[in-house]
Amino acid sequence: METEQTSPESSQLDKEIAALKKQAASFRKTLQIQCSTILSSASVSRLIRSSSSPAVSRRPGAPETASSKLSGRSSQQQAYMQQCIYRISAPVTSFKVRDPDPNAVDEGHVLGLRFEIMSRGQFLRPYYVMLNRPYPGSKHLRVHRHTVPPAVPLAGLAARYLPPSRGSGGSNSSADQDLNRFVRALRREIVRYHNRLGVSADLRRRLGLHERGQQTVPTNALVEAGIADIEAKQINLTWANDKTGRLIMDDDGNVVKFVVFGSDGRDWEASSAVFDKNDSVDDIARKLEERLEESILGEQE
């Protein structure tokens, strides 16, 4: 009996602790951003450089002063900014590597392509495509290895812009290949793929699904929204009243179709109430929020 009385209090305390931990993490992230912003200022950088005298050297074993710590942190920030500027201005870079396999074609010479991708103001892990020349005496390029996600049509782009050589042995030149167009098309498809991933994340964030957890929700509330296919062109929606929906996008992440299904099949009224032609994901999220608010007010009345 005593356990039943303390259980709700313990549960409430756990929720408060979790909320405080989340708030503390948010404060630490905000503090880090503010410090980086201040150190990135040109006036602050000049002030730090002027206050740091290169003539004065610290004795070995002596504690590091606050001025030297600030100067070091400023140098790190400037180096990081320079790196970010380079990655933004050169989203695709090429480099040469050597295949360690003693039986590799073309004596192991490989051309590497590095694709930089940014999402929500942060750089993601780069993608790599390795090309080699499989035919002796030919400049024909072929995709050797890659880290591109399966949703990106790499094989189709390679077949279009890097077609295999005609003739026996591939002895002809690579005049029919266009590496520049291949690189541009591939990067465009990678960016499109991440834009579609961002649509699903933005929808979850807009509707509060990423932080809702196991809390009780109204019967008409949306409880889940997730990617339904490998190309991230479809988002599956689930409501607390067991209704489901499907949001379909084009290659650029624009909504082209939205349907809702209930226990009796397709719910045409709900579909038309949420989606109109040319509606964006933000429009759909706003209408879903409005319908939820109307439902809550109706239950209270």
Side-chain angles (χ1 to χ4, degrees):
M1 192 69 178
E2 183 179 354
T3 303
E4 294 179 356
Q5 294 176 353
T6 57
S7 179
E9 296 177 358
S10 176
S11 178
Q12 181 64 27
L13 184 60
D14 290 340
K15 291 181 180 179
E16 292 179 0
I17 293 175
L20 289 174
K21 288 182 178 179
K22 184 178 181 180
Q23 188 177 17
S26 177
F27 285 156
R28 286 194 294 268
K29 184 176 181 180
T30 302
L31 178 61
Q32 183 179 9
I33 294 175
Q34 295 295 337
C35 291
S36 300
T37 303
I38 293 173
L39 290 174
S40 302
S41 172
S43 58
V44 173
S45 299
R46 288 194 298 268
L47 181 62
I48 293 175
R49 287 196 299 268
S50 62
S51 62
S52 301
S53 176
V56 179
S57 60
R58 186 166 57 91
R59 297 192 307 272
E64 188 177 13
T65 63
S67 177
S68 60
K69 288 182 179 179
L70 187 60
S71 177
R73 183 67 180 86
S74 177
S75 300
Q76 292 178 1
Q77 181 64 26
Q78 294 299 323
Y80 175 73
M81 290 175 56
Q82 185 177 7
Q83 182 187 29
C84 290
I85 292 174
Y86 175 78
R87 296 178 72 176
I88 292 174
S89 59
V92 182
T93 53
S94 62
F95 56 92
K96 294 181 179 180
V97 293
R98 191 72 175 267
D99 191 340
D101 186 356
N103 299 319
V105 300
D106 195 22
E107 299 181 352
H109 296 291
V110 176
L111 174 64
L113 301 174
R114 173 188 172 113
F115 294 83
E116 296 284 0
I117 300 298
M118 177 179 285
S119 177
R120 301 187 62 83
Q122 294 182 342
F123 285 104
L124 305 179
R125 179 177 297 180
Y127 293 109
Y128 295 91
V129 175
M130 305 297 177
L131 305 171
N132 62 7
R133 293 173 176 170
Y135 305 113
S138 172
K139 294 183 178 180
H140 167 76
L141 291 172
R142 180 189 64 179
V143 176
H144 176 53
R145 296 284 189 273
H146 70 88
T147 63
V148 177
V152 177
L154 175 62
L157 295 176
R160 180 176 181 180
Y161 298 111
L162 303 177
S165 298
R166 296 183 297 271
S168 59
S171 58
N172 62 316
S173 67
S174 60
D176 55 347
Q177 294 190 337
D178 195 332
L179 182 59
N180 289 332
R181 294 186 66 183
F182 169 75
V183 170
R184 290 196 299 267
L186 179 56
R187 185 176 186 277
R188 181 172 62 250
E189 292 299 328
I190 294 176
V191 171
R192 282 176 167 179
Y193 169 67
H194 280 279
N195 286 342
R196 296 194 298 270
L197 292 177
V199 168
S200 176
D202 290 341
L203 181 61
R204 290 179 56 84
R205 190 173 292 103
R206 173 72 181 270
L207 298 174
L209 300 179
H210 66 295
E211 57 184 8
R212 179 174 294 170
Q214 301 297 326
Q215 64 182 359
T216 305
V217 296
T219 57
N220 199 34
L222 190 68
V223 295
E224 184 56 47
I227 296 172
D229 67 322
I230 191 174
E231 293 183 332
K233 291 184 178 181
Q234 300 184 25
I235 299 177
N236 189 45
L237 308 173
T238 306
W239 281 264
N241 56 6
D242 293 333
K243 281 189 176 183
T244 60
R246 185 63 60 94
L247 186 150
I248 303 175
M249 300 175 289
D250 59 12
D251 292 339
D252 296 316
N254 301 314
V255 183
V256 296
K257 194 172 184 180
F258 181 83
V259 293
V260 178
F261 299 95
S263 58
D264 299 328
R266 184 168 178 177
D267 191 337
W268 293 92
E269 181 180 355
S271 301
S272 59
V274 174
F275 176 68
D276 291 328
K277 188 178 180 180
N278 299 325
D279 272 356
S280 65
V281 175
D282 289 336
D283 296 327
I284 294 176
R286 174 179 52 79
K287 292 179 181 180
L288 289 173
E289 290 177 333
E290 292 174 353
R291 286 175 60 85
L292 176 59
E293 293 176 357
E294 294 175 356
S295 176
I296 294 176
L297 292 176
E299 291 179 0
Q300 293 176 350
E301 292 178 355

